[in-house]
Amino acid sequence: MLLCKSCSARLGLESDLSKSSECEACLGLSGKFDAYLEMAAKSLSGYEFSTFWLGAFIRKKVIDADAKLSENKQGIKKALEIYVGEGLERLTGKTPTPVDPDIIATVDTINERIELRISSAFFSGRYIKKSRTMPQSKWLCRKCSGRGCKECGFTGRMYPTSVEERIAAPLIKVCEGSGSKLHALGREDIDVRMLGTGRPFVIEILSPKRRTIDLVEASREISSPGDVEAIGLAVSSKQEALRVDTSKAMKKYEALVSSEGSVAMEKLDAISELAPIELEQRTPNRVAHRRSDLVRVRAVDKISFSDIGDSGFRMSLIAEHGTYIKEFVSGDEGRTKPSLSQLIGVQCRVAELDVTDVEFV
Ligand SMILES: [Zn+2]
Ligand SMILES: [Zn+2]
């Protein structure tokens, strides 16, 4: 039988030959293990990581030839993965970890290259948004879908920036990432400010080359244009991003409400007494183009009023996740029942709205 030294040792079989290129088991692949290790170490050298995993793609012809001889012994694929994996551990001092590693390197022996899959870096915090003209994430021009047209001044977008871009830009730069994805505990409308304690978020930085960064410096950069702040920026995880994506929240709001006539103090006091108020909200007209038309039951848990004048008043309220506040005030042409306008008998609308707290429930 013709086997290379490596296969002869692996399979525990005698060999007549030490020429690896003529090996009947690996068809010469074992002779390239050192070259693969060198290639893998080189391609990982541009990245910061603490855990990795190593895989391999091998021609079926080699797998089949090896399988005839290896039976219940270690196969050629496993042999390559162990050789290169242990070599990398020795060279880099990093730990091979099969579950959620920072990087998965695959030795592609068919195309003679190393393929890297880089896990995202995650950072969490709470954001403040002081602008009434900024969406949470990038909003492409409705007319040209981002290609650029007269309507959008050839920017391809509806708004110059977004909360996501403000938070992500300094992080993408310092992590040398390829992009970002914002995970947030709900969202506010473009014209609604996010104040108080801020909204919980996790920002995901795609394909980062650096993972250990100066968080204080990054928060300073995020906050420097002045319209967005990131409070308590910290290292986070995929699990935390998922929690933020799937959790429900209780929200506190402050609103300036304008009314088409004066409202008696006693009427407003009576409404505060009514809370919690259960609402039936049919999908608002303004979002009907992107949400299915349903009637949802929501609740206003607490509500109070102040600064009552001839043309309006201030309102503070705590409401359940997904409650449409503007529609609760206006009634949305009968689509929200009951509404504040209906309860006090004077047509009202929200002139300015701020979210002042968002908490997990
Ligand atoms: Zn061999
Ligand atoms: Zn456009």
Side-chain angles (χ1 to χ4, degrees):
M1 193 176 302
L2 303 180
L3 293 173
C4 67
K5 263 185 195 157
S6 160
C7 291
S8 144
R10 172 168 63 90
L11 304 170
L13 298 171
E14 290 290 323
S15 169
D16 312 332
L17 187 93
S18 61
K19 272 193 183 165
S20 62
S21 60
E22 292 173 48
C23 176
E24 289 175 36
C26 72
L27 310 183
L29 196 65
S30 303
K32 295 182 181 170
F33 282 12
D34 279 313
Y36 291 140
L37 171 57
E38 201 178 309
M39 279 164 65
K42 199 173 159 200
S43 65
L44 285 172
S45 68
Y47 293 87
E48 180 195 340
F49 60 97
S50 46
T51 55
F52 72 96
W53 193 244
L54 191 105
F57 288 142
I58 294 177
R59 277 198 173 80
K60 190 170 181 301
K61 192 173 79 173
V62 178
I63 299 276
D64 289 347
D66 184 73
K68 281 185 199 140
L69 297 165
S70 61
E71 288 181 333
N72 45 19
K73 304 259 174 38
Q74 185 185 73
I76 184 66
K77 181 171 184 293
K78 194 82 204 157
L80 190 160
E81 288 169 348
I82 288 177
Y83 189 90
V84 178
E86 288 183 354
L88 285 176
E89 187 178 6
R90 204 169 55 241
L91 291 174
T92 64
K94 310 298 179 184
T95 321
T97 309
V99 181
D100 259 340
D102 289 340
I103 300 188
I104 297 175
T106 303
V107 179
D108 177 352
T109 66
I110 297 163
N111 299 299
E112 300 289 346
R113 58 186 287 274
I114 307 294
E115 190 186 283
L116 296 183
R117 217 161 76 212
I118 316 294
S119 300
S120 301
F122 295 87
F123 303 95
S124 66
R126 299 178 75 106
Y127 75 76
I128 303 280
K129 183 189 91 173
K130 298 171 190 167
S131 164
R132 293 198 190 278
T133 55
M134 193 192 286
Q136 192 185 52
S137 50
K138 189 172 172 178
W139 190 336
L140 295 180
C141 171
R142 246 181 242 146
K143 190 134 194 221
C144 67
S145 315
R147 287 187 303 277
C149 67
K150 226 174 188 176
E151 198 108 328
C152 58
F154 300 95
T155 59
R157 46 195 306 161
M158 302 287 287
Y159 297 90
T161 189
S162 62
V163 173
E164 172 169 3
E165 289 161 280
R166 277 274 192 268
I167 295 173
L171 294 169
I172 290 174
K173 198 177 79 190
V174 70
C175 294
E176 297 176 54
S178 63
S180 67
K181 194 171 172 204
L182 181 73
H183 307 266
L185 186 58
R187 63 169 64 217
E188 63 286 329
D189 289 342
I190 291 167
D191 61 350
V192 173
R193 294 186 300 180
M194 179 67 240
L195 305 176
T197 51
R199 183 184 298 277
F201 72 86
V202 173
I203 185 90
E204 177 173 356
I205 304 298
L206 309 174
S207 294
K209 287 194 167 149
R210 303 280 159 263
R211 293 167 184 275
T212 311
I213 63 161
D214 183 339
L215 294 165
V216 175
E217 176 57 26
S219 347
R220 222 176 47 87
E221 277 197 47
I222 292 166
S223 308
S224 83
D227 41 17
V228 170
E229 273 175 44
I231 302 167
L233 199 63
V235 171
S236 184
S237 63
K238 192 195 274 183
Q239 290 71 26
E240 242 186 285
L242 190 68
R243 175 171 176 245
V244 161
D245 281 338
T246 56
S247 294
K248 296 202 162 164
M250 186 62 84
K251 295 176 193 174
K252 273 190 198 171
Y253 297 88
E254 295 280 338
L256 178 63
V257 176
S258 57
S259 61
E260 287 178 7
S262 58
V263 183
M265 181 76 161
E266 301 74 54
K267 274 199 169 167
L268 292 175
D269 281 345
I271 287 166
S272 302
E273 296 294 319
L274 273 180
I277 305 167
E278 190 169 279
L279 311 177
E280 285 188 1
Q281 291 201 299
R282 198 169 149 200
T283 306
N285 275 321
R286 66 186 168 95
V287 298
H289 63 282
R290 57 189 164 92
R291 303 251 165 94
S292 49
D293 191 13
L294 294 171
V295 175
R296 296 176 180 82
V297 176
R298 294 288 184 262
V300 170
D301 290 308
K302 276 189 184 159
I303 186 164
S304 61
F305 303 92
S306 62
D307 300 345
I308 300 155
D310 289 340
S311 57
F313 48 87
R314 296 201 69 85
M315 172 182 84
S316 305
L317 64 80
I318 297 179
E320 193 189 340
H321 191 90
T323 307
Y324 292 108
I325 306 304
K326 292 170 184 168
E327 285 70 19
F328 161 64
V329 171
S330 71
D332 196 24
E333 295 166 355
R335 296 165 76 92
T336 290
K337 288 178 200 160
S339 69
L340 186 66
S341 297
Q342 182 193 346
L343 290 169
I344 61 180
V346 176
Q347 185 59 44
C348 303
R349 65 173 188 88
V350 169
E352 283 179 1
L353 186 61
D354 296 327
V355 182
T356 57
D357 194 17
V358 182
E359 293 300 334
F360 286 94
V361 289

